[in-house]
């Protein structure tokens, strides 16, 4: 009898072998997105894992890190974000459970094709704003090639890779000002990663295609990505996770459209020309209405009250900052209007990108 057989025999009786260990979970996607919870998502999970829930709404999904992590934990995830480019990320990594980009499809994306018409909108509109002329030509080409891929999931995977490539080549990882000169000036720098800025778009893109492909998996649940205003979401969810834009103690709100308008333009390429505020040096997208209610300190308390009321039938989990407006204490009182029990925990000092202050990350949990 060999060693393996002897391990399966006890007192003369054959016993079943131990089950194979579960496969390693796919890696979390990398992100350089303002306000991403990638560094604390495991802490969030530790504080909610004992709550009984099977369905979860990630109402302000952003990078999709929290929704993706919960998908990894076997939950049925409904991801939502108002920005279309974020919705594409949620579709690629959360709703999509099997589709990947092949090597041939990736090669197709990286070269011009005689039967495809290539506009020069980015070249003409964003010269000397974010990228070099050659890089702008490359972007115009790749966007058109992506649109010629067969299948929405494949296109969203390719866009995910393109978004990440665009972000990694930007100082501050943002599109909030015209500052190509920061990349191109021959000066000593105390911040940023010039090697990443100067690395070819194609190299970054290939790396992120590989990352996206590795992140595709099925948790045997029908997960869904949505592109709606959170107040218009309908459905019954066991748990609703809320991570809205923050307003700092100084009354300054985080405007994600302002920070990432270039990516939002890419996924609206045919309409992009009519969306731009040409008075701005960095060619931002015009706001359809006034600034977001989540960026208005005179309205955000009402916004939280409405969102808590809307989802009062679910367990409500809120990511928040200790220096936010409204205060944590006021937010707890609002949540107590709709939930029998509210607790909150602090992560500790956590420095946000582009922030000079340390702020405690808080998690508010309302149940019952």
């Amino acid at each position: 009898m060999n060693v393996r057989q002897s391990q399966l025999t006890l007192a003369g009786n054959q016993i079943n072998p131990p089950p194979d260990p579960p496969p390693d979970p796919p890696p979390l996607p990398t992100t350089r997105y303002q306000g991403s919870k990638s560094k604390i998502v495991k802490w969030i999970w530790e504080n909610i894992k004992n709550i009984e829930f099977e369905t979860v709404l990630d109402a302000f999904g952003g990078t999709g890190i929290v929704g993706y992590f919960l998908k990894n934990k076997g939950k049925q995830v409904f991801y939502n974000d108002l920005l279309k480019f974020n919705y594409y990320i949620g579709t690629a990594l959360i709703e999509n459970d099997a589709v990947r980009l092949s090597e041939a499809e990736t090669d197709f994306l990286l070269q011009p094709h005689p039967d495809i018409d290539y506009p020069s909108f980015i070249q003409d509109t964003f010269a000397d704003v974010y990228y070099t002329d050659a890089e702008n030509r490359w972007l115009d080409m790749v966007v058109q090639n992506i649109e010629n891929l067969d299948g929405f999931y494949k296109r969203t995977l390719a866009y995910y890779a393109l978004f990440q490539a665009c972000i990694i080549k930007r100082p501050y990882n943002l599109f909030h000002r015209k500052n190509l000169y920061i990349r191109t000036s021959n000066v000593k720098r105390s911040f940023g990663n010039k090697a990443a800025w100067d690395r070819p778009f194609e190299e970054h893109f290939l790396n992120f295609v590989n990352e996206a492909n590795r992140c595709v998996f099925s948790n045997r649940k029908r997960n869904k990505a949505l592109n709606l205003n959170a107040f218009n979401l309908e459905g019954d969810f066991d748990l609703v996770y809320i991570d809205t834009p923050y307003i700092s103690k100084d009354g300054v709100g985080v405007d994600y459209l302002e920070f990432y308008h270039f990516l939002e333009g890419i996924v609206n390429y045919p309409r992009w020309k009519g969306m731009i505020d040409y008075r701005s040096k960095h060619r931002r997208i015009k706001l359809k209405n006034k600034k977001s209610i989540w960026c208005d300190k005179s309205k955000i308390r009402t916004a939280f009250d409405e969102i808590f009321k809307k989802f009062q039938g679910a367990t409500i989990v809120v990511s928040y900052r200790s220096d936010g407006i409204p205060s944590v204490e006021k937010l707890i009182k609002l949540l107590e209007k709709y939930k029998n029990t509210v607790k909150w925990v602090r992560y500790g000092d956590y420095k946000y990108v582009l922030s000079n202050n340390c702020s405690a990350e808080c998690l508010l949990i309302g149940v019952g």
Side-chain angles (χ1 to χ4, degrees):
M1 179 181 293
N2 60 35
V3 174
R4 175 63 174 164
Q5 289 173 324
S6 66
Q7 291 174 338
L8 302 181
T9 303
L10 182 62
N13 295 319
Q14 192 77 14
I15 63 174
N16 294 326
D20 292 332
D24 292 334
L28 289 175
T30 58
T31 178
R32 292 153 193 84
Y33 199 79
Q34 175 83 349
S36 170
K37 295 299 184 289
S38 59
K39 293 182 179 179
I40 61 172
V41 66
K42 293 181 181 178
W43 171 76
I44 293 172
W45 170 249
E46 287 301 314
N47 282 284
I48 66 173
K49 66 181 183 181
N50 293 325
I51 299 171
E52 291 187 10
F53 70 102
E54 292 301 322
T55 60
V56 56
L57 169 66
D58 187 357
F60 301 83
T63 60
I65 287 293
V66 172
Y68 184 88
F69 193 90
L70 294 175
K71 176 183 176 181
N72 217 326
K73 295 300 181 181
K75 308 301 181 182
Q76 184 180 16
V77 178
F78 295 84
Y79 165 101
N80 178 70
D81 199 278
L82 186 60
L83 294 177
K84 187 176 178 180
F85 85 90
N86 276 338
Y87 159 67
Y88 278 23
I89 293 174
T91 300
L93 302 183
I94 296 175
E95 180 175 323
N96 173 30
D97 62 5
V99 175
R100 294 177 175 85
L101 287 171
S102 69
E103 184 175 343
E105 289 164 333
T106 305
D107 290 343
F108 169 85
L109 294 172
L110 294 175
Q111 53 190 313
H113 304 279
D115 57 336
I116 297 178
D117 177 38
Y118 294 102
S120 57
F121 177 77
I122 296 176
Q123 302 168 59
D124 299 338
T125 309
F126 292 93
D128 198 37
V129 177
Y130 301 126
Y131 304 109
T132 66
D133 291 343
E135 290 169 343
N136 285 332
R137 285 194 298 272
W138 186 89
L139 288 168
D140 277 320
M141 177 193 72
V142 171
V143 171
Q144 300 309 310
N145 287 347
I146 290 174
E147 285 301 311
N148 279 273
L149 280 178
D150 185 21
F152 183 54
Y153 289 162
K154 289 183 183 293
R155 292 195 293 275
T156 60
L157 284 168
Y159 274 124
Y160 168 84
L162 185 61
F163 301 154
Q164 300 304 316
C166 285
I167 290 173
I168 201 173
K169 284 177 68 68
R170 288 289 304 138
Y172 308 107
N173 304 131
L174 299 174
F175 300 88
H176 62 315
R177 59 176 65 115
K178 177 183 178 180
N179 57 6
L180 177 62
Y181 68 90
I182 292 179
R183 277 183 51 194
T184 57
S185 299
N186 187 20
V187 296
K188 185 176 181 179
R189 295 173 174 81
S190 59
F191 75 97
N193 186 341
K194 192 173 189 306
W197 298 343
D198 292 344
R199 196 166 293 135
F201 251 120
E202 182 173 320
E203 183 177 336
H204 285 306
F205 183 78
L206 288 170
N207 287 337
F208 287 117
V209 166
N210 290 333
E211 175 182 276
N213 280 339
R214 289 195 301 269
C215 288
V216 174
F217 76 103
S218 171
N219 69 349
R220 297 186 174 89
K221 302 290 175 63
R222 294 186 64 181
N223 305 289
K224 182 68 178 175
L226 302 163
N227 181 210
L228 297 170
N229 186 311
F231 294 110
N232 296 331
L233 291 166
E234 298 297 337
D236 294 323
F237 311 101
D238 298 332
L239 185 146
V240 175
Y241 174 72
I242 297 171
D243 182 19
T244 70
Y246 292 119
I247 297 181
S248 72
K249 61 183 179 182
D250 299 322
V252 179
V254 176
D255 188 337
Y256 288 102
L257 180 60
E258 175 71 17
F259 282 173
Y260 299 103
H261 64 92
F262 189 80
L263 306 182
E264 189 72 359
I266 282 177
V267 295
N268 289 283
Y269 192 98
R271 302 190 298 112
W272 199 354
K273 181 178 180 179
M275 298 168 65
I276 291 177
D277 178 1
Y278 288 94
R279 298 171 299 176
S280 63
K281 293 181 179 179
H282 59 301
R283 301 291 187 260
R284 66 184 179 187
I285 288 177
K286 292 179 291 189
L287 295 177
K288 294 181 180 179
N289 305 303
K290 296 179 180 179
K291 65 180 178 181
S292 166
I293 192 172
W294 300 105
C295 297
D296 188 333
K297 65 179 181 180
S298 68
K299 298 179 180 179
I300 192 169
R301 185 183 183 280
T302 299
F304 271 116
D305 187 67
E306 289 180 7
I307 208 77
F308 291 164
K309 181 179 180 180
K310 181 177 182 63
F311 295 115
Q312 61 184 303
T315 295
I316 297 177
V317 178
V318 185
S319 278
Y320 204 62
R321 282 175 65 164
S322 62
D323 63 345
I325 294 176
S327 67
V328 172
E329 291 74 18
K330 290 180 179 178
L331 207 57
I332 290 173
K333 288 186 178 299
L334 281 178
L335 193 51
E336 286 176 338
K337 289 173 58 178
Y338 304 104
K339 307 307 296 180
N340 295 329
T341 303
V342 177
K343 74 170 187 176
W344 72 285
V345 290
R346 293 167 61 101
Y347 180 74
D349 290 340
Y350 179 73
K351 192 173 185 302
Y352 288 81
V353 177
L354 301 187
S355 172
N356 293 321
N357 300 315
C358 285
S359 173
E361 176 73 21
C362 302
L363 202 65
L364 282 63
I365 303 171
V367 297

